[in-house]
Amino acid sequence: MAYKRTTRMRAGKEESIINCLPTELIEHVFFSLPASCLLQCTSVCKKWRKIIRDSQFALAHLQHASSCMLLFSPQGSVSGKLYPSDAIVFDEAWSPSKLAVPVIGPDDRICGSCNGLLCLHTPTSTIKIANLATGECLHLKKPTKSLKDDHLSFYRFGFHPATKEYMVIHFSQESSPLTVGRFNVIQVYTLGDEKWKDVATPEPLSLNCVKNSGVAIVDGTMYWLAEDKGSDWQHVVMSFHIGEQSFAHIQLPAVDLEDWALGIGDDRHYWITEIDGKVCVSTAQSWEGMLFGKLQIWTLNEQVGQCWSQEYIINLLSPFALGLPFVNGGKIVIQHCDGNLCSYELLGKNFEIELTKMVKLLDLSPRGEDGMQFYVFVKSLVPLDVYAKAAIVHRPKRLGEWRLKKWKAWEQERVTQEVAWRRIHQKEHEWMAHRRAAVMEIKETSQGLPDGIQAQISMEMDRILQHLQDCPDQHRSPAQQRLNWVEMMQERKKLSARLERHKV
């Protein structure tokens, strides 16, 4: 009893010392710590928890957090096998994660990412905002009256740095049969508000441009491609200032048409992305679903009359997949025609991608590049409960919890693989125990032999015993850790090799 009282007194004294430190000093130290570490610090004391869970501190912490890449793969069927949605997070060293992202459901699709928050389109009547680091999820009611009129590509997600507000944006499709595939209203929902707000567009605009060419939200303004009959390429950049609710047209940059003049490719693709906080337009020629020739990337300069400056001219000496290339951290990530996802150093403004210098990140089989998306990812402390006025916030799920009857076959495969791993581990341990017993028996029977021979046999048996001490690693339980599809594929290959070796 005296020991427990002493422990409580020591803990109380330590907490009082912590509380005596200035809040500014504590925050300064916290800024240098990653989000995963700070989440553990919330249980130290009430003061630390209050600091870390504060929304203003969370925004300030983002300025010090390192960004990396998130690769999202939507649900789909490959060779008759149904795969769920999944995501691969790359760390600062560009190494892929092994575990699945718990906040992404098997039917979810990403329609935006900002400050560590994901906007997920679900097959239900809600849009889900999720924080990958904290595991919190906020569910919003969709603005559509019918789910059959609902589509993933009609939603986007962004942040307004001036107002510090997060916004979900919906392109509202016209209901008239004569205007299918067009929208005339943009609906905006600000996290924490009670309802969506409608903003009429100056004219009916193409949804296909939004779906096929992407959308970028930078500094509270949204950019996408729209049809323009006055433009040589039938496209123009449309901008929508979310705060002022105003629209504007921006002409596309004048691109180098040398590759098209040489007869390379049968179409020219434009798409809009964000690179290092700037709006960028990329363009390249394509042929049979592959990119060829020059990949040109232009940056929009808002301060100088909305003019474009050429950022990169990347010469593609071999075909690459049509999926959108991703630029971040001084590298370009692009999928080669052999199915491998590779990175390449940005070697100046004008360069060629040499295959021998590409760094392989992942083998994308069996998923392929269809529908894959890249996002800048940062582990964030942004709390979602402060926005729960007109939404529902769910706390983090337990690791491995992913129970939906629709995906029973996928879960069964994981269980079957786990059972197979346990069998092979059991066989290997039995085999090692048998070998160890045989070695010990040989050492005992050699006792009657001449000293020289006995010493030689004993030395050889000790060497074998030392080697046998390296037992196979115990396999993790899927109830505690759920692997992503890339690691599942690697585990399957390892399992097949072990089964073949031991003929289990």
Side-chain angles (χ1 to χ4, degrees):
M1 185 66 70
Y3 172 77
K4 291 183 179 180
R5 186 163 52 249
T6 303
T7 302
R8 286 197 299 268
M9 291 175 60
R10 186 184 299 113
K13 184 177 180 181
E14 290 175 352
E15 183 173 343
S16 64
I17 294 174
I18 291 173
N19 290 332
C20 288
L21 294 175
T23 301
E24 293 79 7
L25 178 59
I26 298 176
E27 289 181 350
H28 183 73
V29 175
F30 283 174
F31 284 147
S32 62
L33 299 178
S36 56
C37 179
L38 291 175
L39 289 172
Q40 296 178 352
C41 291
T42 57
S43 59
V44 173
C45 66
K46 292 181 179 179
K47 183 174 182 178
W48 283 22
R49 177 177 177 80
K50 183 179 179 181
I51 293 173
I52 296 170
R53 294 293 295 173
D54 181 72
S55 58
Q56 297 301 317
F57 172 80
L59 284 175
H61 181 264
L62 286 170
Q63 307 301 318
H64 303 268
S66 300
S67 63
C68 50
M69 184 181 78
L70 182 145
L71 170 64
F72 175 75
S73 177
Q75 63 163 314
S77 180
V78 181
S79 301
K81 184 176 181 181
L82 191 62
Y83 285 85
S85 296
D86 212 343
I88 310 294
V89 178
F90 291 79
D91 60 21
E92 296 176 53
W94 294 84
S95 298
S97 62
K98 294 184 177 182
L99 302 183
V101 178
V103 298
I104 298 178
D107 298 299
D108 291 347
R109 301 284 295 270
I110 297 181
C111 47
S113 174
C114 183
N115 291 348
L117 301 182
L118 292 181
C119 181
L120 297 161
H121 181 272
T122 74
T124 66
S125 61
T126 62
I127 287 288
K128 182 167 66 176
I129 309 298
N131 186 319
L132 271 63
T134 65
E136 291 180 330
C137 293
L138 182 146
H139 292 256
L140 312 171
K141 188 173 180 59
K142 291 178 181 176
T144 54
K145 296 180 180 179
S146 173
L147 288 180
K148 70 178 182 179
D149 299 326
D150 183 56
H151 194 274
L152 153 77
S153 60
F154 300 167
Y155 293 90
R156 289 299 184 270
F157 181 61
F159 176 74
H160 200 304
T163 61
K164 312 298 183 186
E165 294 175 330
Y166 293 91
M167 297 152 294
V168 182
I169 298 168
H170 176 242
F171 299 93
S172 183
Q173 184 174 204
E174 289 190 334
S175 57
S176 172
L178 299 177
T179 54
V180 174
R182 309 187 74 81
F183 67 96
N184 58 357
V185 172
I186 289 179
Q187 297 175 296
V188 181
Y189 177 82
T190 302
L191 293 195
D193 283 357
E194 295 184 353
K195 61 180 181 180
W196 294 78
K197 297 177 180 178
D198 294 352
V199 181
T201 63
E203 59 189 76
L205 300 171
S206 170
L207 278 170
N208 288 330
C209 290
V210 174
K211 292 169 62 176
N212 299 328
S213 302
V215 175
I217 302 178
V218 177
D219 293 335
T221 301
M222 182 171 64
Y223 303 84
W224 72 96
L225 287 183
E227 295 174 344
D228 179 30
K229 296 181 180 179
S231 171
D232 291 339
W233 303 110
Q234 302 295 303
H235 286 101
V236 68
V237 176
M238 177 72 75
S239 69
F240 171 60
H241 193 286
I242 302 173
E244 299 177 359
Q245 299 185 357
S246 59
F247 296 84
H249 290 80
I250 305 172
Q251 291 299 319
L252 286 171
V255 301
D256 183 358
L257 303 180
E258 178 184 346
D259 49 3
W260 208 0
L262 295 174
I264 302 176
D266 56 8
D267 195 10
R268 175 166 290 278
H269 280 261
Y270 288 87
W271 58 90
I272 288 185
T273 54
E274 176 189 349
I275 300 177
D276 298 330
K278 297 179 181 179
V279 182
C280 293
V281 165
S282 303
T283 180
Q285 286 301 117
S286 69
W287 183 66
E288 294 187 354
M290 292 290 172
L291 293 179
F292 282 87
K294 293 182 179 180
L295 170 60
Q296 302 177 56
I297 302 177
W298 300 76
T299 300
L300 179 64
N301 192 334
E302 290 277 19
Q303 279 70 40
V304 188
Q306 294 185 331
C307 66
W308 297 93
S309 59
Q310 193 159 55
E311 197 73 16
Y312 301 105
I313 299 178
I314 304 172
N315 296 282
L316 308 177
L317 301 183
S318 66
F320 289 85
L322 194 57
L324 304 185
F326 177 80
V327 176
N328 186 49
K331 297 177 184 286
I332 181 171
V333 178
I334 193 168
Q335 183 184 357
H336 193 249
C337 58
D338 60 7
N340 288 325
L341 185 70
C342 303
S343 67
Y344 194 85
E345 294 281 351
L346 295 173
L347 306 172
K349 299 289 186 179
N350 191 334
F351 60 92
E352 297 177 348
I353 291 185
E354 300 180 38
L355 299 182
T356 56
K357 295 182 180 180
M358 294 180 67
V359 178
K360 178 182 174 181
L361 299 178
L362 281 180
D363 178 3
L364 294 180
S365 60
R367 301 300 288 262
E369 78 280 0
D370 290 343
M372 286 197 173
Q373 301 163 271
F374 298 104
Y375 294 95
V376 175
F377 171 73
V378 58
K379 290 187 177 180
S380 165
L381 296 167
V382 175
L384 293 178
D385 51 1
V386 297
Y387 303 112
K389 185 176 181 180
I392 302 173
V393 174
H394 293 287
R395 295 302 173 186
K397 295 181 178 181
R398 292 175 297 174
L399 288 176
E401 185 176 346
W402 206 50
R403 298 174 182 174
L404 289 178
K405 293 182 179 179
K406 181 178 179 181
W407 295 92
K408 186 176 180 180
W410 177 264
E411 290 295 307
Q412 184 60 42
E413 180 180 342
R414 295 200 309 117
V415 173
T416 302
Q417 187 167 310
E418 174 66 18
V419 171
W421 269 116
R422 288 174 180 171
R423 285 179 58 205
I424 194 67
H425 276 293
Q426 181 181 356
K427 290 290 184 180
E428 288 179 340
H429 278 283
E430 291 174 356
W431 176 78
M432 284 189 175
H434 176 75
R435 289 285 301 272
R436 191 173 287 109
V439 169
M440 295 303 298
E441 184 177 349
I442 293 173
K443 288 189 66 174
E444 291 178 3
T445 55
S446 67
Q447 296 297 321
L449 298 175
D451 292 344
I453 298 176
Q454 178 185 342
Q456 185 177 357
I457 292 176
S458 179
M459 184 182 302
E460 181 64 21
M461 293 303 102
D462 287 341
R463 186 189 67 79
I464 294 176
L465 281 174
Q466 185 178 7
H467 177 72
L468 290 178
Q469 288 176 358
D470 297 325
C471 296
D473 295 334
Q474 291 295 325
H475 192 62
R476 56 187 159 268
S477 170
Q480 298 175 343
Q481 293 180 315
R482 183 169 68 85
L483 302 178
N484 56 41
W485 64 270
V486 171
E487 195 64 21
M488 281 278 287
M489 181 180 64
Q490 296 297 327
E491 288 285 297
R492 193 178 299 117
K493 290 180 179 178
K494 294 176 185 176
L495 177 60
S496 297
R498 295 271 271 271
L499 290 173
E500 178 66 23
R501 187 173 67 187
H502 295 286
K503 304 294 183 183
V504 177

